[in-house]
Amino acid sequence: MGSAKNTSNASRKARIEEMRRAERARDRRGRALTITVSAVVVAALGVGGFFLFDKASDDSGSTDDAKGSKYKVTSDGEKVWGKLGRTHVTKKVDYPMTPPVGGDHNQVWMNCNGDVYKKAIPEVNAVHSLEHGAVWVTYNAKAKPADLKKLEAKVKATPYSLMSPVEDQKDPVMLSAWAHQRTVSGADDPKVKEFFSTYVQGKQTPEPGAACTNGLAQ
C-alpha cells in the first residue's frame, strides 16, 4: 500500500515538474518572441525616423519660385541655389530667377571693377561677372534716390562689383552673387556690408581671380 502511494506521489511530482518545464519553455519562447518583435519595431522606427528626418533635412527651407527654380532660404532670408550651369553660349538665356545668380552665360563678362550702369545690362554678361566673383547690386523704380546714391558710392569703391537697374525684379534693392541673393531694405541695411564682405571674391566664386576688366561696357 505504502509502496503504491509512494509510486503515485512520485508520478504526480514528475508530471508537475514536466508541466513546470513546459511552462518555463513557453515563457522563454514568449520572451524571445517579444524581444524579436520589439527589435524589429525599433529598427523599423529607426529607419523610418531617419528617412523622415533626412527627407525633412533635404527639404528644409527649399522652395520653388514662379519659374520652378529650386532654392533654399537661410534663417535670415538669403536665397541659396544649388549647382548652376556654366556653359558659354551665344544666345539669350531664360534664367529662372530675376536677377539671375548663375547659369549658362555669354563668354564675355560685364565689366565689374566698381562699374555703375545707368541702363539695364545684358543678363548673360552680368552672370559671367558673378562667375568671376563679383557682387551685383540691382534696383527698380521703387528704390529711394538716397539709397541709390550711397550704393553707387559703395560699388565704385569696391573692385569686383557692379550696379544696374533691373526693372522687373521683385524688390526695390537686391544683391546677387553666384548662387546667392538677398533683398535689403536700403543702403544702410547691415546686410549690405555683410554681403559684400562675404561674396566679393568669396568662397562661392567658380573662377576666383578672373578678370573684371576688359569685358563688356555700356
Side-chain angles (χ1 to χ4, degrees), residues 83-175:
K83 187 176 181 180
L84 298 168
R86 293 176 54 200
T87 303
H88 286 175
V89 296
T90 57
K91 61 183 180 180
K92 182 179 179 181
V93 178
D94 184 18
Y95 292 106
M97 73 290 286
T98 302
V101 298
D104 297 343
H105 51 268
N106 192 275
Q107 65 180 353
V108 180
W109 55 90
M110 204 75 200
N111 282 341
C112 47
N113 191 35
D115 293 85
V116 174
Y117 300 98
K118 298 296 185 178
K119 297 180 180 180
I121 59 178
E123 292 180 334
V124 288
N125 302 101
V127 168
H128 198 155
S129 301
L130 300 186
E131 186 182 39
H132 288 190
V135 164
W136 185 15
V137 178
T138 57
Y139 61 93
N140 61 24
K142 296 179 181 178
K144 298 177 181 179
D147 283 325
L148 296 183
K149 186 175 181 179
K150 291 180 181 179
L151 289 168
E152 285 183 11
K154 174 72 173 176
V155 169
K156 288 179 179 179
T158 308
Y160 287 95
S161 71
L162 68 163
M163 179 174 175
S164 72
V166 176
E167 193 54 47
D168 58 346
Q169 70 180 32
K170 179 182 177 182
D171 300 301
V173 179
M174 298 176 69
L175 309 178

